[in-house]
Amino acid sequence: MNRPRVEPASAPVPATETPWIGPHGEIMRRLELHLTYTCPERCVFCSEDKRMAQYKPYPVTWGRVAKVLRDHATRGGTHLHITGGEPSIHPRFIDVLSLAKRLGLQTSVGTIGTMLSREAFAREALEHLDEALFSIHGPDAATHDALTRREGSFVQVTTALRRALELKPGFRAAVNTVLTRQNAARLPETLAFAESLGAGLIVISNTTPEGAAEDAYAELALPLEELQALVPKAVAATRGRAILRFFGVPYCVLGEHKLLSNDLHWDPRVTVEWASKPGAVVFDGVWSWDCGRRRVYVEACGGCSMKGVCRGVFDKYAELWPTDLLRPITSGAST
Ligand code: SF4
């Protein structure tokens, strides 16, 4: 692929501006950049499907991206996570990574492996990439491809993960697996498979009611009882080589595995994405100081000592189904 030449940048950029500081004194270190709103997959749970339909005509220009990166670096940012759509499709994807490294940022990408499955591209991108979160939603092509609704998706993403580890020994390969009713029974095998591929971190993402997943939430979301029964089986399926994290799962549902809650390991972030404003479409930042995205507290949470750390249950779940299973924790993390 021919790519325009990138202007040299002075690097690393010292933090010359006041950092963004949260309500409890947290410093904003992480930038999540929605680089593109296009993707070859058609995942049944895609959180971005509406924005992809709406914003496809507005590709992010190099000038905008470079400004966002420089602003973040001068505010003391240390980490860039690139997401989409499928971000590796962006024609300046490697330039974005390269600039981020020259600004002194750690780089990661959330990907279904579209371009990283190609050896020449992967070789070039990996020079500037520290970590990737590969989306793998089943232990085999039948399970994964049924959810991404594209034949060949499983082969592509597993090729990309294997290739990254071959080309860059020590590369931080992580896996994100979205948990739905359709693939829940295969979760233990999925985790064992991801671990066998060499993933050092596996994030099990409970169906989040956003985009297509909000429209189909009743068909996709796993009942809390089934989720609770699945957790110990999932943990037992791995050999302890990969770190597990449960995203979007109430802390009390995790039982003895509650320390695997992603709520305990979440960093504040500024998410830069396209958004509709009155009379305009803007490429703008959303500052998030906690991981409470679409999650709410129910009556049981009132007396819970973990309220504020655990962010509760998804709002759509509480709207549709009983939450009697949630149990307040009365003695901190040891209960
Ligand atoms: S009772 Fe509510 S706040 Fe407490 S762990 Fe359960 S979901 Fe979280």
Side-chain angles (χ1 to χ4, degrees):
M1 177 189 299
N2 285 328
R3 290 182 297 105
R5 204 170 160 278
V6 182
E7 295 299 318
S10 53
V13 167
T16 53
E17 303 287 332
T18 311
W20 291 297
I21 309 239
H24 304 292
E26 317 91 318
I27 293 179
M28 180 65 72
R29 300 288 187 202
R30 183 180 173 98
L31 167 64
E32 297 234 342
L33 182 64
H34 283 261
L35 192 57
T36 181
Y37 286 100
T38 183
C39 182
E41 319 297 317
R42 292 186 301 115
C43 297
V44 295
F45 43 70
C46 180
S47 61
E48 301 297 327
D49 71 324
K50 292 182 177 61
R51 276 189 275 216
M52 284 201 289
Q54 193 175 356
Y55 300 139
K56 206 168 175 180
Y58 301 98
V60 188
T61 64
W62 169 250
R64 278 178 191 273
V65 171
K67 180 173 184 328
V68 168
L69 261 53
R70 289 199 173 97
D71 284 352
H72 186 64
T74 55
R75 292 278 192 150
T78 57
H79 192 111
L80 168 69
H81 180 73
I82 307 178
T83 181
E86 168 51 41
S88 68
I89 291 172
H90 193 281
R92 310 273 316 245
F93 176 72
I94 293 173
D95 292 337
V96 175
L97 292 174
S98 170
L99 175 59
K101 291 311 292 179
R102 283 181 290 130
L103 292 169
L105 302 176
Q106 286 283 303
T107 54
S108 65
V109 61
T111 182
I112 196 93
T114 310
M115 295 300 290
L116 291 169
S117 62
R118 303 178 188 190
E119 183 172 349
F121 186 93
R123 220 176 258 287
E124 203 178 349
L126 288 165
E127 277 181 40
H128 315 288
L129 189 58
D130 299 306
E131 183 175 356
L133 186 65
F134 296 95
S135 298
I136 299 180
H137 308 303
D140 52 39
T143 309
H144 173 100
D145 291 0
L147 288 166
T148 60
R149 295 188 289 186
R150 191 181 68 78
E151 197 178 330
S153 174
F154 179 80
V155 171
Q156 171 188 279
V157 69
T158 52
T159 300
L161 191 158
R162 288 192 177 102
R163 183 149 276 152
L165 290 173
E166 275 164 26
L167 293 175
K168 191 169 182 176
F171 181 72
R172 296 202 300 272
V175 162
N176 179 49
T177 189
V178 176
L179 184 61
T180 67
R181 288 181 196 235
Q182 289 70 19
N183 64 355
R186 310 297 305 279
L187 182 66
E189 293 163 87
T190 305
L191 300 187
F193 173 68
E195 190 178 49
S196 74
L197 288 177
L201 168 72
I202 308 172
V203 181
I204 301 118
S205 295
N206 197 11
T207 300
T208 303
E210 292 180 341
E214 178 161 24
D215 298 341
Y217 193 72
E219 295 87 63
L220 293 172
L222 198 61
L224 286 176
E225 293 76 7
E226 291 180 35
L227 183 50
Q228 188 174 51
L230 190 55
V231 169
K233 293 179 198 161
V235 174
T238 57
R239 293 167 173 258
R241 291 196 298 266
I243 294 168
L244 299 185
R245 295 275 181 263
F246 287 88
F247 167 86
V249 178
Y251 195 75
C252 52
V253 169
L254 293 171
E256 64 178 296
H257 301 293
K258 53 175 72 73
L259 295 181
L260 302 183
S261 167
N262 197 60
D263 293 0
L264 303 174
H265 303 273
W266 191 88
D267 297 317
R269 59 203 58 190
V270 53
T271 304
V272 176
E273 60 189 356
W274 288 106
S276 295
K277 291 275 168 73
V281 173
V282 295
F283 191 56
D284 206 0
V286 178
W287 277 253
S288 306
W289 299 101
D290 64 58
C291 56
R293 192 175 87 177
R294 296 297 306 258
R295 287 167 72 190
V296 295
Y297 295 120
V298 296
E299 200 177 334
C301 307
C304 181
S305 62
M306 290 309 291
K307 188 177 175 186
V309 177
C310 167
R311 304 307 304 189
V313 65
F314 283 120
D315 56 359
K316 188 89 176 175
Y317 191 97
E319 193 184 304
L320 290 175
W321 296 302
T323 55
D324 310 346
L325 193 83
L326 302 180
R327 294 269 181 276
I329 292 168
T330 53
S331 57
S334 61
T335 56

